[in-house]
């Protein structure tokens, strides 16, 4: 069923793009996403959103066409580096898109920087890739790890929380997200009274970590977990009854629309921050959600799907702006701006990171399902160059 939908979308795009005329230029896009492992669900959402973006904006391509090739990154930096080399050197991809894990992005940075082939990052938030290790070839349409978490430190301190315990998976993204929160929270007078970093892969039981956290008696626990790890963590937090005493906050991937329905009541009361929530009331988001739900069995479009959707639009806008000139296409990628499902976004020419709103939202369990509402919006959130010199 799913495969048929994807195929139908691809066919629709082919028809819309060629329109009976000979194609001026063919753009080969190499899609690199996790289709297995802890982040497999994220990869599926990003790819679904990317296909929908091609369908919604593909007509703007004129006589140019987009073809895609794809490979599974798992959460594996070594194998992904090899696969991206194949896509660039052998398959002659014009642009790569995807990458979910910050560690995987870190592992391919030097190759992309030296290759001359642009990479549109559709998830991985690794700060350094638009900071000290930025590159004209790396354009990020998703978020940076700092961008998502910085506003929450200030926000949580304002709610009167004084002592917070941190928890996140033990890899680049986990540490970077907690550092960003720590900085703004402590600057606002808060104190971090403890922290723990369980392994990213294979942590099945968060019990010992939760027991240690509870023993420090914090006002709140602040975390980053995503995908399968987020589902397990939130369910166990609820299952152990900790939420009754200690409220749970975090980077909003914790209760993503991609899987909050699986967490159900366990996600009740959790407050988090993110660059997209399905509740955003704009025509752009309505079009996205209606299209997504129609194509994918009524499922809600998540932030991951929006990242894929906006990545497709970014590539299409850059092709449009460069009039089918492949040499000009690369430079055009970092000049794109538009209003999409998440609100206004633009690429910062100083870093190639996206500039966008960050939403603080709460999860409430009502009539048998979770409802997400926006409590606060930090507008136009932009990272400092942090050592980036293009
Ligand atoms: C990352 O590794 O950068 C990452 C992974 C999953 C997320 C967010 C960031 O949901």
């Amino acid at each position: 069923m799913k495969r048929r939908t994807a195929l139908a979308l691809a066919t629709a795009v082919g028809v819309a793009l060629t329109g009976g005329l000979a194609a001026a230029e063919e753009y080969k896009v190499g899609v690199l996403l996790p289709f297995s492992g802890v982040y497999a669900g994220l990869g599926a959402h990003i790819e679904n959103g990317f296909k929908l973006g091609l369908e919604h904006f593909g007509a703007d391509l004129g006589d140019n066409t987009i073809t895609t090739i794809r490979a599974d990154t798992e959460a594996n930096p070594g194998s992904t580096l090899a696969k991206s080399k194949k896509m660039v050197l052998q398959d002659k991809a014009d642009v790569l898109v995807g990458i979910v894990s910050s560690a995987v992005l870190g592992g391919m940075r030097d190759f992309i920087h030296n290759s001359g082939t642009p990479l549109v990052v559709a998830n991985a938030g690794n700060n350094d890739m638009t900071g000290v290790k930025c590159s004209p070839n790396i354009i990020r349409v998703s978020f940076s790890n700092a961008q998502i978490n910085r506003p929450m430190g200030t926000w949580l301190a304002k709610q009167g929380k004084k002592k917070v315990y941190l928890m996140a998976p033990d890899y680049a993204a986990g540490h970077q997200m907690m550092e960003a929160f720590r900085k703004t929270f402590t600057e606002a007078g808060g104190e971090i009274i403890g922290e723990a970093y369980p392994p990213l892969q294979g942590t099945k039981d968060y019990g010992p970590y939760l027991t240690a956290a509870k023993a420090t008696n914090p006002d709140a626990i602040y975390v980053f977990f995503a995908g399968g790890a987020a589902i397990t963590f939130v369910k166990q937090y609820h299952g152990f009854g900790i939420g009754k005493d200690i409220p749970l906050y975090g980077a909003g991937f914790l209760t993503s629309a991609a899987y909050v329905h699986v967490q159900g009541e366990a996600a009740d009361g959790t407050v988090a921050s993110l660059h997209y929530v399905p509740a955003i009331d704009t025509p752009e988001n309505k079009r996205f959600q209606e299209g997504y739900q129609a194509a994918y069995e009524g499922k809600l479009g998540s932030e991951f799907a929006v990242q894929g959707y906006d990545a497709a639009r970014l590539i299409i806008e850059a092709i449009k702006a460069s009039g089918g000139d492949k040499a000009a296409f690369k430079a055009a990628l970092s000049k794109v701006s538009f209003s999409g499902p998440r609100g206004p976004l633009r690429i910062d020419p100083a870093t190639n990171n996206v500039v966008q709103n960050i939403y603080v939202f709460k999860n409430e369990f009502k009539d048998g399902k979770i409802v997400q509402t926006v409590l606060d919006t930090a507008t136009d959130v932009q990272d400092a160059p942090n050592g980036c010199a293009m």
Side-chain angles (χ1 to χ4, degrees), residues 351-390:
T351 62
N352 278 354
N353 193 44
V354 62
V355 182
Q356 60 189 339
N357 295 345
I358 300 297
Y359 305 94
V360 180
F361 67 99
K362 68 172 173 197
N363 292 279
E364 280 173 301
F365 192 65
K366 279 186 194 161
D367 302 326
K369 66 175 175 88
I370 287 287
V371 179
Q372 297 184 328
T373 355
V374 174
L375 300 177
D376 230 326
T377 305
T379 54
D380 217 30
V381 179
Q382 181 170 16
D383 281 358
N386 295 323
C388 169
M390 289 281 186

Side-chain angles (χ1 to χ4, degrees), residues 39 42 100-102 123-125 143 145 171 173 177 224 226 253 304:
Y39 287 153
L42 284 56
V100 161
S101 154
S102 279
N123 189 76
F143 56 85
N145 292 329
Y171 81 112
M177 295 212 197
F224 158 66
F253 310 104
F304 305 116

Side-chain angles (χ1 to χ4, degrees), residues 44-123:
H45 271 245
I46 295 170
E47 187 177 50
N48 288 349
F50 187 78
K51 286 180 179 150
L52 186 68
L54 291 183
E55 193 198 63
H56 277 188
F57 304 104
D60 293 350
L61 277 170
D63 295 338
N64 302 296
T65 55
I66 288 180
T67 56
T68 56
I69 49 176
R70 73 205 279 276
D72 183 3
T73 62
E74 307 154 58
N76 186 331
S79 69
T80 304
L81 176 61
K83 287 171 185 174
S84 44
K85 282 184 178 170
K86 178 182 176 293
M87 279 184 170
V88 168
L89 303 173
Q90 202 171 315
D91 305 329
K92 309 274 183 240
D94 295 295
V95 55
L96 304 185
V97 65
I99 307 301
V100 161
S101 154
S102 279
V104 171
L105 180 57
M108 64 196 286
R109 185 266 170 202
D110 287 351
F111 170 68
I112 293 295
H113 179 68
N114 294 320
S115 76
T117 300
L119 165 67
V120 175
V121 179
N123 189 76

